Amino acid sequence: MTPSPLLPFLSVSPPERSVLDWFRLTTETMADQEDNVSIPEFSNLLQTDSNLKKYEKDFRRRYELLKKQLFLLEEAEGGVDQFTRSYRSFGVQRLPDNSLFFKEWAPAAEALFLTGEFNGWEKFSHPYSKKEFGKWELVLPPKPDNSPAVDHNTRLKVVVHTKEGERLYRNSPWAKYVTTEEKSVIYDWVLWDPPQPYVHIHPRPKKPMSLRIYEAHVGIGSPEPKVASYTNFTHNVLPRIKDLGYNCIQLMAIMEHAYYASFGYQITSFFAASSRYGTPDELKELIDVAHSMGIVVLLDVVHSHASKNTEDGLNGFDGSDSCFFHSPPRGEHSLWDSRLFNYASWEVLRFLLSNLRWWMEEYRFDGFRFDGITSMLYHHHGIGTGFSGDYSEYFGLQVDEESLVYLMLSNHILHTLYPNCITIAEDVSGMPALCRRVEEGGLGFDYRLAMAIPDKWIQILKELKDEEWDMGNIVFTLTNRRYGEKCIAYAESHDQALVGDKTLAFWLMDKEMYTNMSSVIPMSPIIDRGMQLHKMIRLLTHGLGGEGYLNFMGNEFGHPEWLDFPREGNNQSYHYARRQFNLLDMDYLRYSQLYTFDRDMNRTEDKYGWLAAPPAYISAKHEGDKVIVFDRANVLFIFNFHPSKSFQDYRVGVEAPGKYKIKLDSDEVQYGGHGRLDHNTDFFTEPQPFNGRSNSMLVYIPCRTAIVLANEEIDYCY
């Protein structure tokens, strides 16, 4: 056997044995070998954080579990590559002779039948044959004209007979397309086999060094009170994202979810792109067009839990209370009212790993944002648990190593098969080594979300007067991240836009956004304050908070109001389930000024590359003056948060000597500022050390203003 690239740690080819034999062998010897397990690059992790040495045994055990899992996957069923492409054999497949091959895993079922429009919904005319290990198979020969027995776009159901005599109607867990009839809330499995499927034209873009993410939801991507489409997003939203300078889109709510108001986090069909926005081919076109613009596209993937729906979800597929999940109570999430996967199950691994590859291969996504990682990492799911950062919280019996190893396995396979794949973890706990490579003993994610940052901004705006803002505390929150583990910084995401909370713009300007956003009248004090702070907060987060930046759609221009999906509590209204991009087309409103600043902020980063640079050097965080100064990537950032004081000839430290010029100025009139700075001014450094920097210079910084200066004598190619 040829060693797989997925198994760099296997030095010899094992003899031919059954998978069960090898599983028994590795299990019996694991306890003896655990202390001898070698993590290839563990020393790199310890060089970054020597405090982890105390937990070396935990890291070794996790790595040994990963090795065992990879070994078993490589030995069974043709290897990892074939195993993770099981979407080619499960569900329904059209064979070369136009026969249709159906296959399911339903270990607790007594019998399976296929029904649908093709057979007039006859319940028992097409039985599956029972195979080993809970598998069921059915072959439908072609029609007399040699066309498939089930036509494209035809509805189907699996009829499951349980050992208790129940008859259940289910969608295939591997369904590639599901739809609902008008006025029905139940989704049906639909055979998607178009005669001329969409063919991608454009190659995947190069992996960005500086990741600037536009978090987006297709359904709300229109000013109209309705569910917007993939096609609308392609033609109307993608050009805006490109113009704004974002090089990555994170698409939410793509995996099919029967309940629209779940925001896409109660998944019912894991392999189906949501049909409420259009067809699979229209989503493929969206991604292809994004690629043509040089934009990578990430899927917001939900493998942390699944909807409790039975008729159109995974829950109770075979009539049991387990199947894909742990039996209750372990298999239920008490707060989310959803089911929790059994990551130790062979068939669950097949399902979830194949799911990741399906989205990468079929739709050509460029990576994933993994939702709900904290729930996966711990048996307590983070419920009622505060994380202080003490390392004992991240090791020991409270850690769910089955799901942790699943995440390691996912990242290892994805990054081996797709070297440019991007994975982002949504974790609030601060798990060490989450974003270190698997070969170092980490979980293998590229980035984690800096979730404390938006919470800090909301807390400041809710609780503090401007004069009470603590510069040191703000800087601490923005820089408090694990060295060597990349973070995605954001001032606000979809969480802050949801009903029950407010966006930054709404916290700052509230009801005056309805009446005083006209640019043909002077700004009221509230609008003036809100406009300036909105820009400053976002730029400070962008420059200081991480190695990537994220914005939720519409927030870049201070989208008014909140986000609320149609539900019983709002009379099924779509009024708040939309993004009012039309406001940008009204030149007399100030929303376009915030949009223009966001665009130029991203374009400035694209030129100077501070997100790809090492962490900033903070040279000033002056509480009395309310001033923050730092340099990163040889670019100087100066923030004056003081509500009324401007400073003439203010000395700031800078490392690189030379002539500096303003490259971004939040006070420019085109951004809704007051135009108090002369951009023709040259700022020359003096060889006078200041605040820990080798050089310094004098600048003018108006109140509530942020400026970015670049050295004219430095080549900023990165």
Side-chain angles (χ1 to χ4, degrees):
M1 138 183 163
T2 303
S4 164
L6 290 161
L7 287 164
F9 23 65
L10 281 185
S11 57
V12 295
S13 300
E16 294 298 324
R17 287 177 183 253
S18 73
V19 173
L20 290 177
D21 285 341
W22 275 106
F23 182 83
R24 191 176 301 112
L25 176 65
T26 54
T27 301
E28 289 171 354
T29 59
M30 188 189 308
D32 297 329
Q33 295 178 350
E34 187 175 296
D35 290 338
N36 298 319
V37 171
S38 175
I39 304 175
E41 300 174 30
F42 189 58
S43 59
N44 292 347
L45 181 61
L46 294 183
Q47 285 174 8
T48 304
D49 187 352
S50 60
N51 293 321
L52 293 175
K53 177 69 175 176
K54 178 181 177 182
Y55 303 97
E56 183 171 358
K57 190 171 183 179
D58 294 83
F59 282 105
R60 288 189 176 194
R61 184 178 60 256
R62 296 171 182 179
Y63 194 72
E64 173 66 15
L65 290 168
L66 173 71
K67 284 177 62 177
K68 183 191 75 172
Q69 198 65 266
L70 272 171
F71 178 77
L72 293 173
L73 289 176
E74 190 64 32
E75 282 295 286
E77 305 184 41
V80 174
D81 182 58
Q82 186 168 318
F83 183 81
T84 58
R85 291 180 189 259
S86 291
Y87 52 81
R88 292 181 170 180
S89 55
F90 280 75
V92 56
Q93 313 294 327
R94 180 158 55 88
L95 304 179
D97 66 351
N98 275 347
S99 296
L100 294 177
F101 174 71
F102 295 81
K103 185 175 183 178
E104 301 296 346
W105 177 62
E110 185 69 22
L112 255 64
F113 301 87
L114 183 71
T115 188
E117 293 174 316
F118 79 100
N119 67 358
W121 297 102
E122 281 288 330
K123 301 175 185 64
F124 312 121
S125 59
H126 291 81
Y128 285 72
S129 298
K130 188 173 185 178
K131 305 297 180 181
E132 287 185 307
F133 309 117
K135 310 288 175 51
W136 301 81
E137 295 179 359
L138 167 65
V139 176
L140 295 185
K143 297 175 184 176
D145 63 1
N146 204 43
S147 63
V150 182
D151 295 332
H152 166 61
N153 225 12
T154 296
R155 288 190 297 152
L156 297 165
K157 283 285 186 182
V158 178
V159 183
V160 179
H161 278 245
T162 71
K163 291 180 172 61
E164 292 74 30
E166 292 181 283
R167 183 190 306 159
L168 309 173
Y169 292 87
R170 299 288 189 254
N171 292 337
S172 169
W174 300 80
K176 311 300 193 301
Y177 190 54
V178 295
T179 63
T180 182
E181 298 287 290
E182 190 174 353
K183 296 185 179 180
S184 172
V185 296
I186 303 299
Y187 278 74
D188 291 321
W189 175 22
V190 173
L191 178 66
W192 184 260
D193 186 21
Q196 294 180 315
Y198 186 86
V199 177
H200 289 88
I201 301 170
H202 303 283
R204 285 189 171 105
K206 184 180 177 182
K207 184 177 181 178
M209 293 180 65
S210 293
L211 201 60
R212 301 183 297 274
I213 303 172
Y214 196 84
E215 185 184 34
H217 185 292
V218 170
I220 65 172
S222 164
E224 300 178 52
K226 65 177 185 179
V227 178
S229 66
Y230 294 124
T231 301
N232 167 75
F233 196 94
T234 301
H235 295 300
N236 297 320
V237 182
L238 281 182
R240 294 189 187 273
I241 297 172
K242 175 65 174 176
D243 179 61
L244 281 164
Y246 291 95
N247 55 18
C248 176
I249 299 170
Q250 180 180 298
L251 280 182
M252 309 173 61
I254 294 298
M255 300 166 75
E256 190 61 271
H257 47 293
Y259 184 43
Y260 189 43
S262 74
F263 217 155
Y265 291 118
Q266 293 277 345
I267 306 300
T268 44
S269 290
F270 282 71
F271 287 82
S274 182
S275 61
R276 57 171 54 84
Y277 317 129
T279 68
D281 283 7
E282 288 165 346
L283 173 58
K284 291 176 184 178
E285 182 186 25
L286 185 163
I287 295 169
D288 201 20
V289 173
H291 285 169
S292 76
M293 297 176 172
I295 299 172
V296 298
V297 187
L298 308 182
L299 175 70
D300 198 349
V301 70
V302 185
H303 281 184
S304 49
H305 66 129
S307 168
K308 271 192 173 179
N309 287 21
T310 53
E311 286 194 57
D312 51 11
L314 289 182
N315 191 21
F317 173 69
D318 64 352
S320 72
D321 65 357
S322 53
C323 197
F324 290 94
F325 311 106
H326 289 291
S327 295
R330 185 179 177 185
E332 294 182 331
H333 196 291
S334 59
L335 288 185
W336 295 345
D337 192 31
S338 55
R339 296 305 311 269
L340 299 176
F341 287 105
N342 177 5
Y343 302 100
S345 163
W346 187 261
E347 294 302 325
V348 171
L349 285 179
R350 181 199 304 280
F351 183 79
L352 294 177
L353 292 173
S354 296
N355 189 237
L356 295 174
R357 292 212 65 189
W358 165 256
W359 294 109
M360 292 291 290
E361 292 285 338
E362 185 72 11
Y363 288 92
R364 295 183 63 79
F365 278 95
D366 302 287
F368 303 96
R369 179 257 198 191
F370 281 74
D371 179 70
I373 294 302
T374 307
S375 174
M376 296 176 69
L377 291 176
Y378 308 97
H379 289 293
H380 53 64
H381 308 301
I383 300 172
T385 303
F387 292 94
S388 67
D390 188 288
Y391 279 11
S392 64
E393 297 168 344
Y394 308 119
F395 303 94
L397 296 178
Q398 67 267 32
V399 175
D400 187 337
E401 290 194 339
E402 292 174 359
S403 53
L404 184 147
V405 171
Y406 165 70
L407 293 171
M408 294 175 70
L409 187 64
S410 298
N411 276 307
H412 182 62
I413 291 174
L414 285 170
H415 287 105
T416 302
L417 296 174
Y418 312 97
N420 291 322
C421 177
I422 299 168
T423 59
I424 301 172
E426 186 213 26
D427 170 44
V428 72
S429 75
M431 167 69 77
L434 185 71
C435 299
R436 297 300 292 256
R437 294 186 302 117
V438 169
E439 292 79 8
E440 297 177 323
L443 273 71
F445 286 98
D446 296 294
Y447 299 87
R448 72 193 325 146
L449 292 175
M451 301 181 71
I453 296 176
D455 292 343
K456 173 56 64 176
W457 287 124
I458 295 298
Q459 182 228 333
I460 289 171
L461 294 178
K462 285 173 67 173
E463 299 176 5
L464 301 179
K465 299 177 182 178
D466 292 3
E467 297 81 2
E468 297 171 342
W469 285 28
D470 186 329
M471 299 295 104
N473 184 253
I474 292 171
V475 168
F476 174 78
T477 302
L478 287 166
T479 57
N480 182 27
R481 55 187 184 271
R482 293 187 57 79
Y483 183 77
E485 299 192 39
K486 294 189 286 188
C487 285
I488 302 294
Y490 57 107
E492 53 184 337
S493 70
H494 68 272
D495 289 325
Q496 287 72 41
L498 286 170
V499 64
D501 205 340
K502 295 181 183 180
T503 63
L504 288 181
F506 225 55
W507 276 112
L508 288 163
M509 295 177 278
D510 209 69
K511 61 183 179 181
E512 289 212 16
M513 297 187 76
Y514 296 116
T515 56
N516 291 339
M517 285 296 280
S518 172
S519 59
V520 299
I521 60 173
M523 286 185 284
S524 69
I526 289 177
I527 294 297
D528 189 1
R529 171 182 178 270
M531 291 283 292
Q532 311 322 319
L533 290 180
H534 190 272
K535 293 174 288 184
M536 294 179 71
I537 287 170
R538 297 169 76 80
L539 178 59
L540 182 58
T541 303
H542 205 303
L544 195 58
E547 291 69 39
Y549 177 77
L550 178 143
N551 163 70
F552 178 64
M553 68 187 307
N555 288 352
E556 70 275 5
F557 64 86
H559 194 284
E561 299 174 333
W562 51 90
L563 183 61
D564 190 15
F565 287 87
R567 54 189 174 84
E568 286 186 16
N570 64 13
N571 295 319
Q572 305 297 331
S573 171
Y574 284 87
H575 179 76
Y576 297 108
R578 60 192 178 120
R579 297 282 91 176
Q580 299 181 55
F581 291 114
N582 56 304
L583 296 173
L584 295 172
D585 301 324
M586 303 176 186
D587 295 338
Y588 57 87
L589 295 181
R590 297 192 180 275
Y591 297 103
S592 61
Q593 296 172 341
L594 295 176
Y595 174 99
T596 304
F597 178 79
D598 198 80
R599 178 198 68 193
D600 291 353
M601 175 175 68
N602 283 324
R603 291 181 179 182
T604 305
E605 195 288 325
D606 187 58
K607 181 175 181 180
Y608 297 107
W610 60 72
L611 289 172
Y617 183 92
I618 299 109
S619 57
K621 38 188 176 181
H622 197 292
E623 299 301 341
D625 295 344
K626 302 299 178 194
V627 169
I628 296 171
V629 182
F630 62 90
D631 54 270
R632 188 177 183 188
N634 288 312
V635 173
L636 184 65
F637 294 78
I638 306 173
F639 294 81
N640 179 5
F641 280 98
H642 203 288
S644 59
K645 283 186 181 180
S646 300
F647 300 102
Q648 193 78 41
D649 293 332
Y650 197 86
R651 185 167 295 278
V652 296
V654 63
E655 190 60 29
K659 181 178 74 173
Y660 285 75
K661 291 190 77 72
I662 296 173
K663 300 301 178 183
L664 185 65
D665 167 18
S666 69
D667 197 48
E668 275 199 74
V669 172
Q670 65 167 329
Y671 306 143
H674 300 283
R676 291 168 288 183
L677 288 167
D678 181 359
H679 287 214
N680 293 317
T681 302
D682 295 328
F683 298 92
F684 293 94
T685 61
E686 305 169 38
Q688 179 177 335
F690 188 74
N691 284 348
R693 305 316 267 159
S694 302
N695 299 278
S696 61
M697 59 188 179
L698 299 176
V699 298
Y700 168 52
I701 42 174
C703 61
R704 286 187 181 142
T705 296
I707 54 176
V708 177
L709 301 98
N711 193 319
E712 295 284 279
E713 300 170 17
I714 293 179
D715 182 3
Y716 282 96
C717 294
Y718 73 99

